[in-house]
Amino acid sequence: MTGQVRAVRLGPKSVAALLLVSVTGFFAFSWPLLADPQSGVSHAKDAPWLFAALLPLLLGVVLATISESGIGAKAVAMVGVLAAVGAALRPLGAGTAGLEPTFFLMIVAGRVLGPGFGYVLGSVTLFASALLTGGVGPWMPFQMMTMGWVAMGAGLLPGADRLRGRAEMGMLALYGAIASFAYGFVMNLYGWPIVGGLSSGISFVPGDPLHENLVRYLAYCLATSMGWDLGRAAITVVLTLTLGPTILKALRRATRKAAFEVPVTFGGRSDGSGDGGNGSSGGEESNGSGDGETDTKTPKNRNES
């Protein structure tokens, strides 16, 4: 089996759940740009409500994917192991020039196991990381959605069944660099409307035309997070090109051996010979056991005598 093995397949319910949470996330990030200036726009005020709304939606994605894919204990274990590794890797680099090796793991896992698994893994990893580092807050569901999109995008890259070697590594490295900048660009939308004390050239102005706020937003990203995003992109590219082939082979081998999509069945023999076969000593194929064969020979020996 050389094709891509996907631990979590996307059915109609899963696609609908992903679309719902993605559309909700899009509006959650972007609605301050379109809000009326008299509405008192502030993510600080709506964050608790978004936090309460987005987590059930993310849970709905997980449940819908599990129910339609027939995911079993092996796939759940794989999600848990990779999420734990990603959560442990994140605090090792975060806080130092944006060096976050978690991005590399999410991209590789999404590539091997597909978009559904990738979205679930990305979201769960950020949730576990927040619990591990005490980073639970109103920003957490935004981070979960954004990382889910990053890993899901890796699973949607072309050539999953055919592309291998340097070409695949180059594509993943390029995607990792783009996704690293895109993650910072999207996450800035969460904090930009509520950050105070900025100069007029990069601050958010409620009620201004959309194109003027977008120009300020681009200037804000260049002035505040470009260095951080550059560090994230650099380490993602380096890890992809150096460790990527080994990690990809290991994950692909693990998914083939686990055979996530093959249900475990316990078949029995309708003629009842399975139990008798276990009791035979000579390994002969018969309708009865070895003891039964001895009983049938005994009357014959008596008649001969």
Side-chain angles (χ1 to χ4, degrees):
M1 181 178 178
T2 59
Q4 182 190 36
V5 181
R6 295 184 177 179
V8 181
R9 295 175 295 175
L10 292 180
K13 294 180 181 178
S14 303
V15 172
L18 285 172
L19 288 175
L20 178 60
V21 72
S22 296
V23 170
T24 303
F26 172 78
F27 284 107
F29 275 111
S30 62
W31 75 266
L33 299 176
L34 306 174
D36 186 88
Q38 305 300 325
S39 63
V41 57
S42 174
H43 275 314
K45 295 181 180 179
D46 68 10
W49 300 102
L50 290 175
F51 184 84
L54 289 174
L55 287 182
L57 288 176
L58 292 173
L59 180 60
V61 173
V62 176
L63 294 179
T65 308
I66 289 176
S67 65
E68 289 186 328
S69 64
I71 187 173
K74 291 179 289 186
V76 173
M78 178 69 77
V79 174
V81 170
L82 290 176
V85 173
L89 287 176
R90 193 160 183 252
L92 296 180
T96 307
L99 303 179
E100 297 185 67
T102 303
F103 272 75
F104 158 72
L105 181 62
M106 296 299 101
I107 290 172
V108 171
R111 171 63 174 175
V112 174
L113 301 173
F117 183 92
Y119 190 90
V120 174
L121 177 63
S123 299
V124 172
T125 299
L126 265 292
F127 180 75
S129 174
L131 296 179
L132 181 65
T133 60
V136 176
W139 55 84
M140 187 179 68
F142 293 92
Q143 291 178 332
M144 292 171 64
M145 285 188 303
T146 310
M147 183 62 82
W149 289 332
V150 169
M152 182 175 66
L156 293 173
L157 292 174
D161 298 328
R162 302 178 304 276
L163 193 62
R164 293 292 185 270
R166 294 182 179 178
E168 184 179 31
M169 291 300 100
M171 181 183 65
L172 290 179
L174 177 61
Y175 173 78
I178 296 174
S180 297
F181 285 103
Y183 178 88
F185 182 84
V186 173
M187 280 304 303
N188 282 339
L189 277 174
Y190 164 75
W192 181 53
I194 61 177
V195 174
L198 299 177
S199 65
S200 59
I202 62 175
S203 62
F204 172 68
V205 180
D208 267 19
L210 178 61
H211 68 278
E212 293 183 8
N213 269 325
L214 288 178
V215 171
R216 296 190 188 96
Y217 180 67
L218 291 176
Y220 171 81
C221 292
L222 291 173
T224 59
S225 66
M226 181 58 65
W228 189 278
D229 297 336
L230 182 61
R232 183 188 301 118
I235 192 172
T236 301
V237 170
V238 170
L239 291 178
T240 299
L241 295 178
T242 55
L243 301 180
T246 302
I247 302 300
L248 280 174
K249 289 180 182 179
L251 288 177
R252 282 171 174 151
R253 187 181 302 113
T255 54
R256 287 196 300 268
K257 290 184 177 181
F260 289 148
E261 296 182 355
V262 179
V264 178
T265 58
F266 300 92
R269 300 178 182 176
S270 59
D271 58 2
S273 60
D275 295 337
N278 293 334
S280 61
S281 58
E284 299 176 354
E285 293 183 4
S286 63
N287 292 335
S289 63
D291 294 337
E293 185 179 6
T294 303
D295 292 337
T296 58
K297 290 181 180 180
T298 303
K300 181 179 179 181
N301 292 337
R302 290 176 179 177
N303 291 333
E304 289 178 353
S305 61

